[in-house]
Amino acid sequence: MPDTILQSKNRFTWSLLAFQGGYINVGGLLSIHLFVSHVTGFSAHLAVEIVKQDYLRSLYFLFVPIFFLAGAFLSSLFTEVRRKRNDSPVYIHILLFLALLFTALSLLGHFHY
């Protein structure tokens, strides 16, 4: 399997994933004025908000790592189901879903939702 991951046909997918990481950072910065890429930073933000007794904002910082893990779980589930059937994984469906999701979230953030 490592041989197929590093094939040149997958380089476009890896490029899209790198772009997606930057897109998430910029979208988070523009929407909520925080960088959103580091899960460990969110645990520190969570602790600070609990100490400040801002429980609604602390829920936000609690949900970020939970959604990160849920997204990792669902992505691996979609790819592993195909591999169990001896089909090669198709990553474009996950990437398109994420692109639509991030676009919707960006628009919601832009309009202050």
Side-chain angles (χ1 to χ4, degrees):
M1 184 50 133
D3 295 335
T4 59
I5 290 173
L6 300 176
Q7 287 179 352
S8 62
K9 69 178 184 174
N10 292 327
R11 289 186 184 142
F12 181 70
T13 302
W14 293 114
S15 299
L16 282 178
L17 290 172
F19 175 78
Q20 173 188 354
Y23 186 80
I24 291 170
N25 274 330
V26 171
L29 182 64
L30 294 175
S31 298
I32 59 171
H33 310 292
L34 288 171
F35 285 111
V36 294
S37 65
H38 302 289
V39 173
T40 55
F42 279 97
S43 61
H45 283 298
L46 172 66
V48 168
E49 296 303 322
I50 289 173
V51 168
K52 292 181 353 185
Q53 296 181 344
D54 189 351
Y55 300 114
L56 185 60
R57 190 165 165 94
S58 67
L59 277 177
Y60 163 75
F61 290 115
L62 177 65
F63 283 133
V64 170
I66 290 172
F67 285 128
F68 173 81
L69 292 172
F73 172 78
L74 288 175
S75 296
S76 64
L77 183 69
F78 288 135
T79 57
E80 286 301 310
V81 164
R82 289 188 57 83
R83 286 180 5 125
K84 293 288 183 189
R85 292 185 290 180
N86 291 326
D87 292 334
S88 61
V90 179
Y91 301 106
I92 193 68
H93 299 120
I94 296 168
L95 292 172
L96 287 175
F97 172 73
L98 290 174
L100 290 172
L101 179 66
F102 294 148
T103 301
L105 289 174
S106 297
L107 289 171
L108 288 172
H110 176 73
F111 293 109
H112 306 291
Y113 286 102

